[in-house]
Amino acid sequence: MRLALIGAGRIGRVHATAIAAHPEVTLAAVSDAHAPAAQALAERYGCSVLPTEALFEDPAIDAVLIASSTPTHADYLERAARAGKAILCEKPIALDLPRTRAALAVLARHPVTCALGFNRRHDPQFAALRRQIVAGRIGTLETLSVISRDPSPPPPAYVAASGGLFRDMTIHDFDMARWLLDEPIRDVYAEGGCLIDPALGAAGDIDTAMITLVSASGRLCHISNSRRASYGYDQRIEAFGSLGMLEARNETETRLRFTGEVGQIGELPHAFFLERYALAYRHELDDFVTSWREGRPPLAGAEDGLEALRLAEAALLSLREGRRVALDEIDQPQATSAGETP
């Protein structure tokens, strides 16, 4: 696969590292609105810099990886689909449901392999947890708990472009809930506030949240989010069932634990997502290449992006109105739209 990378920022560099390590992928070109960033990345990996429009027109390029700013995702996805390129797009496709659905409509008219960057599905520990749920090791899954806490809050200037905590951060947890419960979500109830940084509240966002999801069969999922964890990047999942419980714990540098007279001492979790999910990004790329080569759906696709965004919108509506929200409600005109704040 000859792949072009759109976006040479932090997440683009993560993807470039994965591309360079993959035996079946050649980084054909890099494009970025910030020319020095594109040039630096291209020089590091020995590829060319091309204007974004040229990537879609080049017949030698098989696929594009969209790691640019969120407002550009849907447009680039549509251009790639019309050009017949396979697509790996960072989440979200867009910050609102109408624009997301419009992009999916283009994919329906121009079917290509399209994977979405829900990298946590590719994490070895989370993937093993799902396999064991499916295999019945804990019997019938009854409750799911997802903990996701960043080490420190983002700058307030980041909030406006990000779409807020539910669309930017919790959207990964919504996807994990859908993937692990493996059935439609019926109801959403969210509580949240600014307990860490008042500046985030002034910018129209929250920094702490708890969300309850109820599945079609009545299974319960609890998501706990915080923009601050003094000990590092906190990423844990507990699945509880009729025959037992599965736990996915925080990854550390070596997983080594000391036990002695002073008690038990372990290592701090990884500092942030770049370290915690480095292997997941490599597996994500491998799944994308394999799905393109074999003509099968990727592990996470565009429709998964739409469904996770529907949950984010339902959580925003619940937070705004202080009530439990049926997921179907967010398809109605009164539902929260992009740009609205809690």
Side-chain angles (χ1 to χ4, degrees):
M1 172 186 281
R2 288 181 55 80
L3 186 149
L5 175 63
I6 304 176
R10 180 174 64 176
I11 193 63
R13 294 192 294 272
V14 171
H15 285 299
T17 300
I19 293 166
H22 199 289
E24 298 179 47
V25 183
T26 298
L27 183 57
V30 175
S31 175
D32 194 283
H34 184 57
Q39 188 63 44
L41 200 61
E43 289 177 359
R44 180 175 180 178
Y45 292 104
C47 67
S48 60
V49 175
L50 289 177
T52 303
E53 193 59 47
L55 302 180
F56 304 119
E57 298 173 352
D58 190 339
I61 291 175
D62 302 304
V64 295
L65 197 160
I66 302 169
S68 49
S69 60
T70 296
T72 67
H73 289 181
D75 182 52
Y76 289 156
L77 184 151
E78 291 174 350
R79 291 191 199 181
R82 292 187 179 107
K85 313 292 186 188
I87 304 160
L88 172 52
C89 182
E90 269 299 327
K91 62 81 195 168
I93 294 172
L95 291 176
D96 65 274
L97 291 170
R99 185 67 187 92
T100 302
R101 289 194 172 101
L104 264 65
V106 173
L107 285 171
R109 293 193 298 271
H110 304 274
V112 295
T113 298
C114 182
L116 202 66
F118 284 134
N119 61 296
R120 295 181 192 182
R121 294 193 183 201
H122 302 274
D123 174 73
Q125 196 175 174
F126 294 162
L129 183 144
R130 186 179 189 275
R131 285 194 301 270
Q132 294 196 27
I133 291 174
V134 172
R137 186 169 187 184
I138 59 170
T140 301
L141 177 64
E142 296 168 351
T143 65
L144 187 69
S145 298
V146 181
I147 294 173
S148 181
R149 298 173 181 141
D150 284 353
S152 60
Y158 174 83
V159 170
S162 75
L165 185 138
F166 290 150
R167 297 187 186 104
D168 173 55
M169 178 180 173
T170 321
I171 198 163
H172 278 291
D173 306 313
F174 289 138
D175 179 67
M176 290 303 295
R178 291 186 62 249
W179 189 51
L180 295 173
L181 291 170
D182 198 25
E183 65 178 28
I185 305 299
R186 187 182 69 209
D187 298 307
V188 179
Y189 180 70
E191 289 281 359
C194 262
L195 306 180
I196 300 166
D197 187 355
L200 294 183
D205 200 9
I206 58 175
D207 56 32
T208 307
M210 289 190 173
I211 307 109
T212 299
L213 309 177
V214 184
S215 76
S217 69
R219 294 172 178 172
L220 300 175
C221 175
H222 176 255
I223 297 172
S224 177
N225 286 150
S226 176
R227 286 291 197 181
R228 180 196 60 209
S230 61
Y231 46 85
Y233 191 45
D234 194 357
Q235 301 283 293
R236 290 173 283 145
I237 297 177
E238 176 190 289
F240 177 81
S242 58
L243 297 179
M245 177 178 69
L246 290 165
E247 291 181 281
R249 300 187 175 187
N250 282 320
E251 297 284 355
T252 68
E253 185 66 28
T254 67
R255 296 191 182 182
L256 191 65
R257 180 182 292 272
F258 167 79
T259 300
E261 293 181 355
V262 297
Q264 290 188 327
I265 303 174
E267 299 172 317
L268 290 173
H270 284 302
F272 205 21
F273 77 94
L274 298 176
E275 299 86 1
R276 170 64 180 83
Y277 291 118
L279 189 56
Y281 282 109
R282 294 200 290 272
H283 289 176
E284 177 183 71
L285 179 64
D286 189 57
D287 177 72
F288 173 56
V289 174
T290 303
S291 62
W292 170 73
R293 185 178 63 240
E294 297 179 355
R296 64 160 175 82
L299 186 59
E303 191 70 30
D304 295 305
L306 172 65
E307 292 305 314
L309 184 61
R310 290 180 72 229
L311 289 172
E313 296 295 328
L316 281 165
L317 183 58
S318 174
L319 182 65
R320 187 180 66 192
E321 299 189 355
R323 64 179 179 87
R324 180 166 164 167
V325 171
L327 187 57
D328 289 345
E329 289 184 52
I330 60 91
D331 297 318
Q332 304 304 315
Q334 73 272 17
T336 305
S337 61
E340 288 184 336
T341 61

